[in-house]
């Protein structure tokens, strides 16, 4: 399959083509399929008269038998004959996980602020000791020597 064929097949199913520039331009884009498309392909696959026609369908659409098995399982589990569509992307985090993340970031911020404060106090302490040393030496120079 040439690059042009891959782009044409991707456009046929997705309706858009991945951007030709950018850091991930050379990487393949994961295809997504609508429920109607899945049902149409399942119907066509199951009504194919022999394995040759089924294999030709799979090659034409660029999918594997494992994909057909997943779609069939999802359709059978749905019970209504329709395949439920999943939203692409990572599932949303729970409230507890989001709260933990917020507290972790706040903890890191406070730890960094504490480290800066400790460093500043250490510098102020050293400056104070140095000034005290200068003050003592200035006082000793003012006293007449006997």
């Amino acid at each position: 399959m040439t690059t042009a064929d891959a782009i044409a097949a991707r456009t046929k199913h997705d309706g858009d083509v991945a951007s030709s520039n950018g850091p991930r331009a050379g990487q393949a884009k994961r295809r997504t399929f609508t429920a109607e498309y899945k049902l149409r392909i399942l119907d066509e696959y199951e009504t194919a008269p022999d394995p040759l026609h089924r294999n030709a369908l799979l090659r034409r659409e660029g999918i594997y038998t494992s994909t057909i098995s997943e779609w069939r399982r999802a359709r059978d589990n749905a019970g209504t004959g329709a395949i439920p569509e999943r939203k692409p992307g990572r599932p949303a985090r729970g409230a507890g996980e989001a709260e933990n993340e917020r507290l972790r970031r706040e903890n890191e911020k406070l730890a960094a602020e504490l480290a800066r404060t400790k460093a500043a106090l250490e510098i102020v302490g050293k400056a104070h000791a140095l000034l005290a040393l200068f003050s003592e030496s200035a006082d000793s120079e003012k006293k007449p020597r006997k």
Side-chain angles (χ1 to χ4, degrees):
M1 180 180 255
T2 65
T3 304
D5 292 338
I7 290 173
R10 203 172 11 172
T11 304
K12 181 169 112 178
H13 299 302
D14 295 341
D16 65 307
V17 179
S19 174
S20 61
N21 54 6
R24 297 181 64 184
Q27 294 180 351
K29 182 176 182 267
R30 184 177 294 265
R31 297 188 302 171
T32 57
F33 304 100
T34 63
E36 294 82 23
Y37 174 80
K38 292 175 184 180
L39 288 174
R40 182 176 59 82
I41 295 299
L42 274 176
D43 184 49
E44 194 173 336
Y45 184 83
E46 290 171 348
T47 59
D50 59 13
L52 292 176
H53 285 88
R54 288 187 201 118
N55 292 335
L57 169 69
L58 295 176
R59 280 192 307 274
R60 183 184 78 217
E61 299 298 329
I63 56 177
Y64 296 99
T65 55
S66 60
T67 307
I68 293 291
S69 299
E70 288 175 23
W71 292 352
R72 187 180 289 144
R73 191 176 316 113
R75 181 196 59 194
D76 294 344
N77 288 341
T80 61
I83 299 175
E85 274 193 62
R86 289 188 319 191
K87 293 183 180 177
R90 191 178 303 175
R93 293 186 300 181
E97 189 176 334
E99 178 70 7
N100 284 342
E101 179 67 22
R102 185 189 66 77
L103 291 173
R104 186 189 59 75
R105 281 193 311 256
E106 183 179 348
N107 190 11
E108 288 175 356
K109 180 181 153 188
L110 292 173
E113 185 178 339
L114 178 63
R116 284 191 305 269
T117 303
K118 283 183 177 181
L121 284 173
E122 185 178 335
I123 291 170
V124 168
K126 288 180 180 181
H128 182 268
L130 184 62
L131 288 173
L133 185 67
F134 286 148
S135 176
E136 289 173 7
S137 66
D139 288 343
S140 65
E141 288 176 8
K142 290 182 182 179
K143 293 181 182 177
R145 291 186 187 192
K146 296 183 183 181

